[in-house]
Amino acid sequence: TMNPGYAGRTELPDNLKALFRPMAMMIPDYALVAEVMLFSEGFETSKDLSRKMVKLYKLSSEQLSQQDHYDFGMRALKSVLVMAGSLKRGSPDLDEQVVLIRAMRDSNLPKFLSEDAELFEAIVSDLFPGVEVPEVEQGDLARAIIEALEEQNLQCVDKFVLKIVQMFETFNVRFGAMLVGPTGGGKTTVYKTLQRALSKLREGNHLNPEFQKIHTYVLNPKCITMGELYGEYSQMTNEWCDGLGSTLIRNAVADTTLDKKWVVFDGPVDAIWIENMNTVLDD
C-alpha cells in the first residue's frame, strides 16, 4: 500500500508518480455514515447522537496532542459504532446517550496519554451536559489482578491495575491489540499479569464465560526473515513451507477447547512485517 502523507506507508517514487494521472477524492460525510450505522444497530435517536459523535472526534483530533497511535478517522469511528451496538443489545433499557459515551470511552481512553484523557473527558461532558455514566464494576477481575501482581512481588498501583483492566476490555471488542510505550513502561507485565489473573479465575471456576485460561506464544518478528515468519515457497522443492507465525496461529485455531491463545509478536513495530497483518487485524 502506498498512501501519500500517511504514517507508516512508503511514498510513491516520483518517476513512478509521473506515469499515473491524479484523481480527486471526497471525504465521506461522517455524520451521515454514523447516523445510518446507529440506526442499523438499533438506536432511535441516532440523528442527534451521530452529530455529537462526529463533533467529538473532530474536536479530539484538533485539541488532543499529536501522537502516532491516535486515530480519529473512519475506521476508529466504525469500531466505536459497532461496539455501541453490542452494548445496546446487552442493556437495551439503558439511556442511548450513556451507551454511546461508554462505547467512546472504552475504545478511546486506553490509548490516550493521561493529560489527553482529561481533555477527552472534558469534551464529552461539554457535548453531553448532565449525562451521568455509571461506572462498570470489574470487582473479581481487579481482585485477581492485584493477587497476580502481589505474587510477582510488584506494587499494586491503581493506574497500572486500570491499564490491565483496559486491556481486558479492549480484547472483548478487538481480536488484535497493540501495546505501545517506552522501554520499562510495563508492556510485558501488563499482558503477563492479565494472563495470570484470567487463568486463576478460570481455575476457580468463575461464572463469567469471558474469563478463560490463556496460553501465550511469544516470538520476535524482527529476528527471522519474512518467509520464516509467514511461510514461503521453497525454491528447491517448489513446496509451500509454513512460517513460525502462521504455524502458531493455525495450531491455535485447530484447538477446540475454550482456552484462549495469544500470539505475541514481541518486537519493534515495522511497516515491513506489520503490513502483512493488515487483512488479519482489520475489522
Side-chain angles (χ1 to χ4, degrees):
T1 322
M2 291 184 170
N3 303 11
Y6 187 85
R9 296 279 189 271
T10 43
E11 285 277 345
L12 203 61
D14 285 336
N15 57 350
L16 199 56
K17 214 181 274 183
L19 304 174
F20 294 100
R21 58 195 176 93
M23 168 183 144
M25 293 178 79
M26 299 272 293
I27 296 173
D29 182 353
Y30 280 35
L32 189 61
V33 173
E35 184 185 333
V36 172
M37 278 200 70
L38 284 171
F39 265 131
S40 66
E41 295 284 4
F43 284 78
E44 289 167 18
T45 55
S46 77
K47 199 169 186 70
D48 276 351
L49 291 177
S50 64
R51 282 211 305 271
K52 285 185 175 182
M53 186 177 173
V54 171
K55 196 76 184 157
L56 175 88
Y57 268 55
K58 187 171 184 294
L59 288 169
S60 299
S61 63
E62 289 166 359
Q63 294 187 16
L64 303 191
S65 65
Q66 300 297 314
Q67 301 293 329
D68 286 342
H69 65 281
Y70 285 4
D71 175 23
F72 299 108
M74 195 77 223
R75 185 171 295 172
L77 195 80
K78 179 179 177 285
S79 64
V80 172
L81 295 170
V82 171
M83 186 177 177
S86 62
L87 286 175
K88 171 79 174 163
R89 287 186 290 277
S91 44
D93 302 328
L94 204 60
D95 179 20
E96 290 188 344
Q97 292 197 27
V98 173
V99 172
L100 189 65
I101 292 171
R102 187 175 280 172
M104 291 190 298
R105 270 190 189 165
D106 287 356
S107 58
N108 284 308
L109 280 182
K111 64 186 175 192
F112 286 154
L113 305 182
S114 51
E115 53 269 25
D116 284 340
E118 289 172 22
L119 260 172
F120 183 77
E121 291 283 12
I123 297 171
V124 169
S125 56
D126 285 349
L127 283 171
F128 298 90
V131 179
E132 283 293 319
V133 182
E135 288 296 320
V136 180
E137 278 297 309
Q138 289 283 9
D140 291 346
L141 178 62
R143 278 191 290 277
I145 288 167
I146 289 165
E147 278 177 35
L149 285 170
E150 283 168 354
E151 281 173 15
Q152 299 171 80
N153 299 321
L154 296 169
Q155 291 179 337
C156 298
V157 182
D158 288 345
K159 278 190 173 175
F160 195 62
V161 175
L162 177 66
K163 270 280 164 256
I164 299 170
V165 171
Q166 283 176 344
M167 188 183 174
F168 170 74
E169 287 173 346
T170 303
F171 269 135
N172 285 343
V173 288
R174 303 280 179 93
F175 46 84
M178 195 184 283
L179 287 166
V180 291
T183 308
K187 302 184 291 295
T188 307
T189 313
V190 163
Y191 86 77
K192 283 189 174 169
T193 307
L194 182 59
Q195 178 192 8
R196 260 179 193 244
L198 291 175
S199 301
K200 191 192 289 274
L201 286 167
R202 179 44 48 215
E203 283 161 16
N205 292 321
H206 197 278
L207 296 173
N208 190 337
E210 285 174 346
F211 301 152
Q212 294 293 343
K213 193 169 169 54
I214 308 283
H215 303 279
T216 53
Y217 308 97
V218 187
L219 66 140
N220 184 347
K222 293 290 283 180
C223 71
I224 50 178
T225 64
M226 293 297 290
E228 289 168 341
L229 182 60
Y230 291 117
E232 62 187 343
Y233 271 105
S234 165
Q235 295 290 324
M236 308 286 285
T237 59
N238 224 9
E239 284 179 336
W240 173 259
C241 300
D242 249 343
L244 186 55
S246 50
T247 306
L248 288 172
I249 294 167
R250 208 187 290 278
N251 291 347
V253 171
D255 186 10
T256 54
T257 60
L258 286 172
D259 293 3
K260 292 186 178 175
K261 294 95 190 159
W262 294 347
V263 180
V264 184
F265 291 84
D266 190 353
V269 178
D270 187 324
I272 296 168
W273 69 265
I274 201 75
E275 182 83 31
N276 296 312
M277 291 286 195
N278 258 352
T279 46
V280 183
L281 297 176
D282 208 352
D283 46 11

